[in-house]
Amino acid sequence: MTKLRILRIVPDTIVDGPGLRASIYCSGCAHRCSECHNPQTWDFAAGTLMSPREIFDAVVAESPDADVTFTGGDPLYQAEGFTELARLFKTETPGKNIWCYTGFLFEEILADEKMRRLLPWIDVLVDGPFRIALRDVKTLKFRGSSNQRLIDVPASLRAGKAVAWHSAYEALPAAK
């Protein structure tokens, strides 16, 4: 049985994507971006081992109406388990919107068989490593630096290349 290393599950948050969300913070990240705001997530051995079913059940119990965000750390270092988890959400809670934050680029994910399997199950991918020199908290939404892209995954898979995600949320003023 697949187990994922999870640092915490944050129910009913509004910071990791649009609307009410449950954010699942995994452990493990080799990108080690300078001035990362979650360096405690870098350790691959940190956190609690949980099965995708245990995570799914916890999220549904705590935040039944919330959409879901995979973050961390980097969920793509545990791609097989997060693929299984995303499949659970999409098949057992139809209409659930899933976002995934990663330091990998969309093109790198497409080229890797294990990571690529997650893509059909997620709606928006926030890709690329955080770059402190490209940080702009006044204008950026749902990402830390301007090199990171908000990618509409279903449209990108149809097009065979990264397609930007757009939403009414982009017209809202950034947090101060």
Side-chain angles (χ1 to χ4, degrees), residues 121-166:
W121 299 104
I122 61 173
D123 299 288
V124 175
L125 181 75
V126 183
D127 81 337
F130 171 71
R131 298 285 184 243
I132 189 68
L134 301 175
R135 184 175 180 219
D136 182 355
V137 295
K138 293 181 181 176
T139 61
L140 296 176
K141 297 229 184 326
F142 309 127
R143 57 198 169 134
S145 56
S146 61
N147 63 299
Q148 295 172 312
R149 301 177 293 180
L150 301 173
I151 296 173
D152 179 329
V153 177
S156 298
L157 291 174
R158 287 190 301 273
K161 64 179 183 177
V163 174
W165 174 82
H166 297 286

Side-chain angles (χ1 to χ4, degrees), residues 16-18 21 66-70 82 85-87 89-91 93-101 106 116-127 149-158 161-167:
D16 294 322
R21 310 190 76 77
D67 287 320
V68 177
T69 299
F70 300 158
F82 275 99
L85 179 60
R87 184 191 54 75
F89 279 114
K90 289 295 189 175
T91 60
T93 55
K96 189 76 69 183
N97 177 268
I98 301 176
W99 278 42
C100 182
Y101 284 78
F106 178 75
R116 184 177 61 241
R117 289 184 191 140
L118 176 59
L119 293 176
W121 299 104
I122 61 173
D123 299 288
V124 175
L125 181 75
V126 183
D127 81 337
R149 301 177 293 180
L150 301 173
I151 296 173
D152 179 329
V153 177
S156 298
L157 291 174
R158 287 190 301 273
K161 64 179 183 177
V163 174
W165 174 82
H166 297 286
S167 160

Side-chain angles (χ1 to χ4, degrees), residues 1-124:
M1 173 186 285
T2 303
K3 294 277 189 172
L4 293 162
R5 285 223 170 253
I6 303 298
L7 287 172
R8 63 185 170 161
I9 298 170
V10 179
D12 301 334
T13 181
I14 57 170
V15 298
D16 294 322
L20 189 64
R21 310 190 76 77
S23 291
I24 301 164
Y25 285 80
C26 69
S27 66
C29 186
H31 301 294
R32 297 182 178 263
C33 301
S34 177
E35 300 195 44
C36 170
H37 75 106
N38 284 330
Q40 69 278 11
T41 67
W42 293 354
D43 182 357
F44 285 90
T48 303
L49 284 171
M50 297 178 74
S51 72
R53 174 57 67 182
E54 289 170 322
I55 298 164
F56 173 84
D57 289 345
V59 168
V60 170
E62 288 287 318
S63 302
D65 299 322
D67 287 320
V68 177
T69 299
F70 300 158
T71 189
D74 193 324
L76 292 203
Y77 285 108
Q78 301 181 73
E80 291 172 324
F82 275 99
T83 299
E84 187 177 331
L85 179 60
R87 184 191 54 75
L88 280 171
F89 279 114
K90 289 295 189 175
T91 60
E92 295 191 23
T93 55
K96 189 76 69 183
N97 177 268
I98 301 176
W99 278 42
C100 182
Y101 284 78
T102 181
F104 292 101
L105 296 176
F106 178 75
E107 295 78 8
E108 292 173 304
I109 297 165
L110 282 177
D112 182 279
E113 183 180 338
K114 286 182 184 178
M115 290 193 291
R116 184 177 61 241
R117 289 184 191 140
L118 176 59
L119 293 176
W121 299 104
I122 61 173
D123 299 288
V124 175

